[in-house]
């Protein structure tokens, strides 16, 4: 009798394992059915990707999608761009290898319940293999996690670049969620911090290039004429200043203190750093850095 029970339980276990093994295949077939069999519907050629779905029987009860963009870079690819730099090569070989392993899994690790609120730097601390605190606190490592947090904010917010203001049709400034949400506030201040480090060459060019690309291709990118008008308005209200300036460091920087100046200076600097774009003289010569 015991042998028969054992055989039955063994058969059920194998059936369960087989069912789980077939789940990806079933989901692939469901995805194909959802798209009408269009092979490129969830590829990189379109701006949406399939995240997951709840299936009841043979019907999809709920599906989740995320906007994608060719400009986005994976955590693994970003690490490959930065690791050849001399400052990274000064790290012990074992530490660099451990960082490579951590960054390879970081895009997935940041989505877990434990790391979702902590962002990329929290995910970096919580993933294996372990590295020293000194390594995690190096400027280049912190800059990479800041950039990835900014990119993730855009992915989760309809490809909008973190900005604290938008300009409506009448030319008036309107506040955005970046002023009130923790994620938006952190993303915008991350942009400011990277631009502050850029002034003194403390951030890799690869990271600045990616930040500029994210800004230029964002859904809410401000037009050059709008930015010119905004700077002209700023000058008329601040006769003694050519343009608002970015801080020399981010210690004590808060959106409670003149967020308009911080936002405008960041916008001007990002466009000044954008390659292959012809800026009018007023923007080209605006002194927003120290």
């Amino acid at each position: 009798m015991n042998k028969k029970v054992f055989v039955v339980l063994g058969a059920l276990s194998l059936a369960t394992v087989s069912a789980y093994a077939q789940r990806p295949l079933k989901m692939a077939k469901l995805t194909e059915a959802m798209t009408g069999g269009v092979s490129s519907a969830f590829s990189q050629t379109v701006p949406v990707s399939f995240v997951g779905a709840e299936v009841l029987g043979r019907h999809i009860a709920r599906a989740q999608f995320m906007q994608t963009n060719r400009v986005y870079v994976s955590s693994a690819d970003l690490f490959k761009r930065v690791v050849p730099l001399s400052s990274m090569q000064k790290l012990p070989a074992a530490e660099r290898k451990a960082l490579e392993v951590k960054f390879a899994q970081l895009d997935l690790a940041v989505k877990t319940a434990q790391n979702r609120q902590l962002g990329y730097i929290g995910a970096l601390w919580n993933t294996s293999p372990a590295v020293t605190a000194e390594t995690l606190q190096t400027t280049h490592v912190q800059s990479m996690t800041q950039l990835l947090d900014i990119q993730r904010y855009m992915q989760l917010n309809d490809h909008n670049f973190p900005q604290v203001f938008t300009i409506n049709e009448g030319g008036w400034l309107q506040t955005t969620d970046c002023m009130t949400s923790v994620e938006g506030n952190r993303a915008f201040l991350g942009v400011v911090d990277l631009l502050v480090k850029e002034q003194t060459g403390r951030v890799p060019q690869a990271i600045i290039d990616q930040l500029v690309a994210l800004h230029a291709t964002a859904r809410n990118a401000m037009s050059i004429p709008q930015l010119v008008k905004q700077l002209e308005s700023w000058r008329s209200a601040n006769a003694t200043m050519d343009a608002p300036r970015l801080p020399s460091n981010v210690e004590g920087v808060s959106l409670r203190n003149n967020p308009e100046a911080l936002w405008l200076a960041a916008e001007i600097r990002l466009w000044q750093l954008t390659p292959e774009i012809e800026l009018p003289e007023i923007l080209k010569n605006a002194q927003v850095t120290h």
Side-chain angles (χ1 to χ4, degrees), residues 115-259:
N115 298 323
R116 196 173 296 129
Q117 301 301 322
L118 300 176
Y120 273 90
I121 188 63
L124 197 63
W125 278 88
N126 291 331
T127 53
S128 298
V131 295
T132 65
E134 289 78 11
T135 294
L136 293 176
Q137 292 169 354
T138 58
T139 301
H140 285 5
V141 171
Q142 290 185 337
S143 295
M144 282 190 283
T145 58
Q146 280 182 313
L147 177 70
L148 290 169
D149 275 328
I150 293 166
Q151 181 175 271
R152 179 159 172 77
Y153 173 84
M154 294 179 65
Q155 289 175 305
L156 298 176
N157 289 273
D158 203 20
H159 193 48
N160 285 318
F161 193 80
Q163 296 174 341
V164 293
F165 292 104
T166 59
I167 301 176
N168 64 18
E169 294 180 359
W172 297 96
L173 293 183
Q174 292 180 323
T175 58
T176 69
D177 290 341
C178 287
M179 287 285 283
T180 56
S181 71
V182 174
E183 297 81 9
N185 195 286
R186 182 171 59 187
F188 176 75
L189 291 178
V191 172
V192 174
D193 190 30
L194 290 178
L195 292 176
V196 168
K197 292 175 184 174
E198 186 270 335
Q199 297 181 57
T200 54
R202 291 182 293 126
V203 60
Q205 188 62 43
I207 291 179
I208 292 299
D209 289 344
Q210 179 65 13
L211 179 67
V212 167
L214 291 171
H215 173 260
T217 59
R219 182 175 181 178
N220 60 337
M222 184 187 301
S223 69
I224 298 302
Q226 281 181 319
L227 190 55
V228 168
K229 288 183 179 180
Q230 197 60 36
L231 180 55
E232 289 174 342
S233 297
W234 168 268
R235 285 180 171 178
S236 64
N238 300 270
T240 60
M241 297 181 66
D242 171 71
R245 291 198 174 192
L246 291 165
S248 55
N249 62 73
V250 294
E251 291 184 12
V253 172
S254 170
L255 292 184
R256 296 177 181 178
N257 302 322
N258 204 349

Side-chain angles (χ1 to χ4, degrees), residues 38-56:
V38 180
S39 60
S40 64
F42 290 93
S43 69
Q44 294 182 352
T45 61
V46 291
V48 291
S49 62
F50 178 66
V51 177
E54 293 181 10
V55 181
L56 297 178

Side-chain angles (χ1 to χ4, degrees), residues 7-23 26:
V7 170
V8 171
L9 290 176
L12 288 174
S13 298
L14 289 173
T16 302
V17 172
S18 176
Y20 274 99
Q22 292 180 27
R23 287 186 68 183
K26 289 181 179 179

